[in-house]
Amino acid sequence: MIKTDALIIGAGPTGLFAAHQLKLIGLNCEIVDNLDKIGGQCIELYPDKPIYDIPAIPVCTGEELTSNLINQLKPFNIKFHLGERVEEIKKNKEKWEVKTNKGTEFITPNIIIAGGVGSFEPRKFSPKECEKFENKSIFYSIKDKKIFNDKIVSIFGGGDSALDWAIELSKNSTINLIHRRDEFRGTQSSVDKVKKLEKEGKINLFTKYQLKNVKGSSSLDSIDIEHDNKELKNIKTDFVLGFFGLIMQLGPIANWDLNLDKKTIPVDTEKFETNQKGIYAIGDICSYPGKLKLILSGFHEGALAARACFKLARPNEKYRFEFTTSSKTIKNRLGVKID
Ligand SMILES: Cc1cc2nc3c(=O)[nH]c(=O)nc-3n(C[C@H](O)[C@H](O)[C@H](O)COP(=O)(O)OP(=O)(O)OC[C@H]3O[C@@H](n4cnc5c(N)ncnc54)[C@H](O)[C@@H]3O)c2cc1C
């Protein structure tokens, strides 16, 4: 079991800045995120879009903001547990036991939920039998593209992910690209490239088709795809990839005995504590009178929640307020040279 002064759930902008605040005041923390990358909505939903209302930064993209926040954390060597969703939270005397879906366990007096709009989950195929093949023959994201070499891969979707992977994997695999409409949503240059590869016989294109059924015992043999809700076609395939975008689900957070107001967690505005002692909620997931779902609000909420964590993590010490400009202790923590 990993012992830490505070566990942060969510590596979006709010969770990242909360980690900075915890480390500045001398507390340890670790961060868990369901996504396989750091940055929350900024990186998943709008990496290239310009943001104009981060204090003192006239303009930066979602990706630039994320890399600045990561850089700001560099002195602290924070441990991230990416691709893991926090599933269970259980009280153990004065502490909390936390467990992820990958079995990682933490014990901590403080949990900061910076879960945004919940965990991002891939939108999945509707036929129930697909679950049996998930992460074996059916995938919603790609970790190691080499497993598809010299295989037949059926890719579903009409956006950039489906098009880009069809183009990329067509170099070493036989590709079926299947989309329920005639028109693709992806960038025109990728659509043109796919059409060119189709003409060259490197991609088989099926438009107005949807997945109807999957067939196989331990691994996938073939799939049935249906044209315009009428004609069925059976095609041999080794792998199926689905790229239908992400949905946001409050998910396990709903089962942690926290007061909920619609899909948010009500908190006080002194400590950003929930109805459970030692569990705080900050960023988009929290609610209180006047709450603004803006990144700058999440930064402020993280700063206050971090100070509240200090009391539970160091019950015998007194928290001393200090400025970063003048505190030697903080400069030491940051690894800044003191003249
Ligand atoms: C298109 C768009 C444009 C925007 N433009 C602006 C703007 O100009 N200015 C501005 O201030 N704001 C803007 N926002 C809003 C801003 O992005 C959010 O306020 C901000 O991302 C909230 O940060 P967060 O860290 O609270 O949550 P998020 O960024 O949502 O991050 C939460 C993270 O928690 C993870 N998570 C949730 N549950 C679990 C769990 N159980 N286990 C593990 N991980 C979990 C999720 O996977 C996610 O990565 C915009 C939003 C969108 C969608």
Side-chain angles (χ1 to χ4, degrees), residues 9-16 32-35 37 39-42 45-46 49-54 84-87 113-120 248-253 256 282-285 292-296 298:
I9 302 173
T14 308
L16 293 175
V32 184
D33 200 297
N34 195 39
L35 287 175
K37 45 188 171 306
Q41 292 175 52
C42 299
L45 302 181
Y46 58 102
K49 282 208 166 84
I51 312 172
Y52 298 99
D53 56 354
I54 304 297
E84 294 194 44
R85 191 179 55 229
V86 172
E87 289 289 335
I113 304 175
V117 274
S119 50
F120 292 96
M248 294 158 206
Q249 288 188 330
L250 198 50
I253 295 174
W256 297 342
I282 58 173
D284 277 13
I285 200 150
L292 282 178
K293 286 196 179 185
L294 283 177
I295 295 164
L296 68 89

Side-chain angles (χ1 to χ4, degrees), residues 61-279:
T61 63
E63 189 171 6
E64 284 163 350
L65 177 74
T66 305
S67 61
N68 282 345
L69 286 164
I70 295 171
N71 275 340
Q72 203 169 17
L73 282 178
K74 278 253 164 73
F76 302 125
N77 243 332
I78 287 177
K79 174 102 179 97
F80 285 89
H81 303 265
L82 297 177
E84 294 194 44
R85 191 179 55 229
V86 172
E87 289 289 335
E88 280 174 42
I89 288 187
K90 214 167 64 192
K91 189 103 198 171
N92 178 345
K93 293 180 195 136
E94 292 304 299
K95 300 213 166 148
W96 292 99
E97 282 179 19
V98 179
K99 203 170 172 183
T100 74
N101 61 336
K102 301 258 169 82
T104 313
E105 291 184 86
F106 302 87
I107 180 124
T108 179
N110 296 296
I111 299 170
I112 297 183
I113 304 175
V117 274
S119 50
F120 292 96
E121 311 271 346
R123 195 168 271 123
K124 298 189 175 178
F125 290 106
S126 37
K128 192 97 188 80
E129 311 81 69
C130 290
E131 283 172 22
K132 191 172 116 190
F133 298 102
E134 210 174 300
N135 296 324
K136 292 179 213 133
S137 310
I138 298 183
F139 296 93
Y140 298 98
S141 65
I142 295 179
K143 293 222 160 55
D144 176 13
K145 64 179 182 181
K146 286 199 234 72
I147 63 167
F148 305 116
N149 282 355
D150 305 317
K151 302 282 182 195
I152 307 172
V153 185
S154 298
I155 301 178
F156 286 79
D160 280 320
S161 302
L163 294 169
D164 292 349
W165 278 116
I167 296 167
E168 175 62 27
L169 297 181
S170 69
K171 292 172 191 160
N172 298 306
S173 321
T174 304
I175 299 296
N176 302 314
L177 178 60
I178 303 149
H179 182 37
R180 68 194 164 107
R181 297 190 206 286
D182 249 346
E183 301 292 314
F184 285 91
R185 277 180 290 108
T187 339
Q188 194 52 45
S189 59
S190 303
V191 178
D192 296 343
K193 184 94 205 261
V194 162
K195 297 248 163 90
K196 186 166 169 272
L197 289 167
E198 187 200 11
K199 275 198 192 119
E200 292 166 4
K202 293 188 179 141
I203 289 181
N204 306 313
L205 207 53
F206 299 89
T207 54
K208 291 193 166 176
Y209 275 95
Q210 297 198 59
L211 183 71
K212 197 67 192 159
N213 205 357
V214 290
K215 291 177 174 165
S217 47
S218 58
S219 58
L220 208 55
D221 288 331
S222 70
I223 52 175
D224 287 335
I225 53 173
E226 190 180 42
H227 186 248
D228 242 355
N229 293 327
K230 286 179 218 117
E231 164 218 346
L232 269 189
K233 191 187 275 292
N234 179 264
I235 50 177
K236 280 209 77 57
T237 197
D238 298 305
F239 291 102
V240 167
L241 303 175
F243 296 110
F244 307 119
L246 298 165
I247 40 172
M248 294 158 206
Q249 288 188 330
L250 198 50
I253 295 174
N255 309 323
W256 297 342
D257 284 336
L258 298 171
N259 286 344
L260 293 177
D261 176 12
K262 299 190 187 99
K263 286 184 173 177
T264 63
I265 307 172
V267 289
D268 66 62
T269 49
E270 183 195 344
K271 299 191 265 185
F272 293 89
E273 202 167 34
T274 65
N275 59 312
Q276 301 281 359
K277 191 168 178 229
I279 304 188

